[in-house]
Amino acid sequence: MPVPAPDSTPDARTELGAAPLRPFHWLIVGLVALATLFDGYDTLIPSYVIHFVAKPWHLSEGQVGFLVSSGLIGFAVGSVVHGVVADRIGRRPTLIAGLLISGGFSVLTGAFGTSYASFITLRALTGLGLGVLLPLGTAYVNEYLPNRVHHRLAVLGGTGFALGGVLAALLGVSLTSGGNWQSLFYVGGGALVLGLIYLVVFPESVEYLVAHGRTPDAIRLLGKIRPDRVALYEARGLVVAAHPPTRDLKLVLSSRYRVRTIALWVSSFLLLFNVYGLSAWTPELMIERGHGFAAGFGFGAVLQGTSIVGAVLGGFVADRWLGARRSLMLWCALGVVAAIVIALAGGTAVDVIAVAAAGLCIIGGQFLLNNVCAITYPVRARGTGAGLMLGFGRVGGILGPTIGGSLLGAFGGTSALFFAVAVAAALAVVSTSFVTDRNAAAVGAAEPQQEVPA
């Protein structure tokens, strides 16, 4: 890590990257994980509504798939729009707004989503808030972490999404046994309460504060991580990478980043096709295989739970051995094998192992991809880059449950969806090969610096 010259102004990214691991880092990771927990929970609970509304609402397999993915329409819009907003007005207010919007509309879904039309409309509006949480949380946590543990802790913050998926599966069994599926959405209203709490406890990004001339606030936060250097910051100020001449969107699509941007978008499309296809249909398909109601929902919990292991293990492998790109490629390749085994599996033990492996490699791989995207772009375009990638990827998320349902209707049985997942994972091996490794320090160092006085 480069050390500033004796008379130079410290660079915020360099100071953060070289910092020792502090309790404040764990606080940041925990706050992001808690926000993304509600994202994962509220995004995935429609999967546990299928069992109760498909027949009363007279839905085809394709309509059932869209029931699950309808929230991703708003999610895609929120993902794209929030990045530009967060890069302009700040990470903190944008993430809090996402919590307030998603929590509020989750409650309204439980109260008024009593028909197919009203349900998908309210889910699309809920998605406007949900689309903020994971991409912004990932970009935000990446702006705080030391380089030596960067991948591991960044994916740990994002695994709140998977914990939310586990919670959705557990409550899907315990709260809906009497058919009261609406209660799942009332629990999702906890995001509204969390947003109000975050008005008090959630800090802004240090790099954002410096870039926007709020150096005293940046020094106060950076002092929690580097208390021994506060006097230096107060005497000399801080610098960040100078604003490039292009606007945020043009920077993401510029010749310098274009190949990586396209590779990120395609990879996100393919992986989210798989993530939401598996999340939407696995519980119901396992019930059809004869595993029983509670066991079928349990497979959903296994799928999400092992993704946490996959994300952390993938981050460790990326930090220590393979780097982000090759780790992603390996995880996608293993996901191909897992999906084929599920398609051809027979017996409880094989189903459990194969579903666990799919969660570990495919959903865990998406967390790795989110982290790679966050460190690809400079700070002023980071939210925009992450939002655009996940906005494009949500199109795959919308198609996964819907196409999966159509394939199941056309071919019957329970295997067609898993073969489609295997094909998408194989294509993701190719697309992720074009996502080159790039760490945050290199991004900051590559741009000329702009001094912001204390």
Side-chain angles (χ1 to χ4, degrees), residues 197-347:
I197 295 172
Y198 276 23
L199 286 170
V200 178
V201 303
F202 196 80
E204 185 55 89
S205 158
V206 168
E207 289 185 81
Y208 176 87
L209 290 172
V210 177
H212 288 76
R214 297 166 59 185
T215 309
D217 292 334
I219 292 173
R220 177 180 56 82
L221 286 173
L222 192 52
K224 298 177 184 293
I225 299 171
R226 310 284 310 258
D228 55 316
R229 294 175 66 81
V230 171
L232 175 66
Y233 305 148
E234 291 176 343
R236 299 182 185 170
L238 292 165
V239 295
V240 291
H243 289 184
T246 53
R247 296 178 67 84
D248 303 345
L249 178 59
K250 290 183 179 179
L251 179 66
V252 170
L253 297 174
S254 67
S255 58
R256 181 180 180 187
Y257 294 100
R258 189 174 300 131
V259 171
R260 264 173 294 173
T261 293
I262 294 172
L264 287 166
W265 290 9
V266 173
S267 300
S268 183
F269 177 95
L270 294 167
L271 286 173
L272 288 176
F273 176 94
N274 285 347
V275 168
Y276 287 102
L278 288 170
S279 298
W281 283 106
T282 296
E284 189 69 18
L285 293 178
M286 291 302 155
I287 292 173
E288 288 186 21
R289 285 190 177 186
H291 291 296
F293 176 78
F297 280 29
F299 274 99
V302 168
L303 186 71
Q304 301 300 327
T306 56
S307 71
I308 301 171
V309 179
V312 176
L313 181 61
F316 183 79
V317 171
D319 278 334
R320 293 291 297 273
W321 294 299
L322 297 181
R325 179 176 60 87
R326 285 178 290 179
S327 297
L328 264 174
M329 292 174 67
L330 175 62
W331 256 229
C332 292
L334 293 173
V336 175
V337 177
I340 292 174
V341 171
I342 300 173
L344 301 176

Side-chain angles (χ1 to χ4, degrees), residues 274 332 335-340 343 362 416-428:
N274 285 347
C332 292
V336 175
V337 177
I340 292 174
I362 294 175
L417 170 75
F418 301 116
F419 282 123
V421 166
V423 171
L427 293 173

Side-chain angles (χ1 to χ4, degrees), residues 49-59 114-116 181:
V49 175
I50 293 173
H51 187 78
F52 302 100
V53 303
K55 289 183 179 179
W57 291 355
H58 308 291
L59 305 181
T114 55
S115 67
Y116 181 67
W181 56 265

Side-chain angles (χ1 to χ4, degrees), residues 3 25 47 51 53 89 97 107 116 145 165-166 168 171-172 186 227 297 308 310 326 335 347 368 405 413:
V3 178
H25 289 117
S47 303
H51 187 78
V53 303
I89 71 169
V107 172
Y116 181 67
L145 296 179
V166 174
L171 295 183
Y186 296 139
F297 280 29
I308 301 171
R326 285 178 290 179
L368 288 177

Side-chain angles (χ1 to χ4, degrees), residues 340-436:
I340 292 174
V341 171
I342 300 173
L344 301 176
T348 301
V350 177
D351 278 341
V352 170
I353 293 171
V355 168
L360 189 148
C361 297
I362 294 175
I363 304 180
Q366 175 62 40
F367 292 133
L368 288 177
L369 182 66
N370 293 342
N371 189 44
V372 171
C373 179
I375 62 175
T376 293
Y377 305 106
V379 60
R380 76 178 300 266
R382 194 166 293 151
T384 300
L388 287 171
M389 182 197 78
L390 284 175
F392 187 83
R394 296 301 165 185
V395 178
I398 294 168
L399 294 176
T402 306
I403 291 178
S406 298
L407 289 173
L408 292 168
F411 293 99
T414 62
S415 297
L417 170 75
F418 301 116
F419 282 123
V421 166
V423 171
L427 293 173
V429 175
V430 178
S431 64
T432 54
S433 69
F434 290 94
V435 181
T436 54

